[in-house]
Amino acid sequence: YVFRTLHKGLGYMQGFNELLPPIYYVLISAKSLFSNNLDIVEALAFFCIQQLLTDSDFQTFYAHEDQQLIIDRKLQEFEVMLRQRLPKISAHLARLQIKPFCYCYKWVTLLFAQEYDLPEILILWDSIFAHFNAMVKYSFCVAIGRLKMSKDQFENADYKTTMNLLMSPSNFRDIYKLIHKANKIYSETQKKRRF
């Protein structure tokens, strides 16, 4: 309510409730740094979520004006990256007519909060927040890394199996391996841009 009151152009979107708990958890774990004052912890949690949703490129997913057009354009960037990095999975998803909006949109807008447990999320978010000025692009790299880690499971999968693979929490729990893959993909995309 407070966020929507302050930011009428953004408003409240489904998923904010997934983004706040990890931030609040980190701050409440360090409450001694704030004189054990829970009001300060709550205010800082609000400030952090506000910064995430208003000062990073992540906000493009939450803007109300031309929202679907903006989301489609962003997800087209992901589709291009997917075709370049994982052409077989890209072709498989295209054959089944599964668009990134059906899976990648949720992953990125929730920063994978439903994909992994809290200890893994904290590690992953450190990596994502380290790319604050390119959070969406880096999150796309994480998404491609996640698909790459489970690519064998997509082979000969029908629509239902494929959707289950995409919508279920990842069964590959090695968060460090995922981050390593995302960093490599991100680094390679940065090199290509320079030339």
Side-chain angles (χ1 to χ4, degrees), residues 118-136:
L118 185 60
E120 297 163 319
I121 285 299
L122 296 179
I123 296 165
L124 181 58
W125 281 20
D126 273 350
S127 192
I128 291 172
F129 291 161
H131 297 85
F132 194 79
N133 293 325
M135 275 182 42
V136 172

Side-chain angles (χ1 to χ4, degrees), residues 34-147:
F34 314 112
S35 306
N36 293 317
N37 186 330
L38 297 183
D39 289 339
I40 293 174
V41 169
E42 187 176 325
L44 285 172
F46 179 81
F47 174 77
C48 290
I49 197 81
Q50 180 174 255
Q51 292 300 107
L52 172 64
L53 297 172
T54 61
D55 285 359
S56 72
D57 64 345
F58 191 63
Q59 70 170 306
T60 57
F61 286 111
Y62 291 104
H64 281 304
E65 292 180 20
D66 299 323
Q67 184 180 17
Q68 195 58 52
L69 182 66
I70 293 167
I71 291 169
D72 289 344
R73 196 174 300 139
K74 275 290 182 193
L75 291 176
Q76 283 172 359
E77 292 174 26
F78 171 77
E79 273 189 298
V80 169
M81 288 177 71
L82 182 62
R83 266 195 308 274
Q84 292 170 345
R85 301 268 161 206
L86 299 172
K88 286 183 181 177
I89 289 180
S90 177
H92 174 72
L93 296 175
R95 199 169 33 257
L96 296 175
Q97 297 182 349
I98 299 174
K99 298 285 186 193
F101 189 81
C102 297
Y103 62 97
C104 185
Y105 178 74
K106 179 187 96 161
W107 292 350
V108 173
T109 57
L110 300 181
L111 294 176
F112 305 90
Q114 292 182 342
E115 299 296 303
Y116 300 98
D117 294 330
L118 185 60
E120 297 163 319
I121 285 299
L122 296 179
I123 296 165
L124 181 58
W125 281 20
D126 273 350
S127 192
I128 291 172
F129 291 161
H131 297 85
F132 194 79
N133 293 325
M135 275 182 42
V136 172
K137 184 175 184 178
Y138 185 79
S139 295
F140 287 166
C141 296
V142 173
I144 290 171
R146 182 201 185 280
L147 290 169

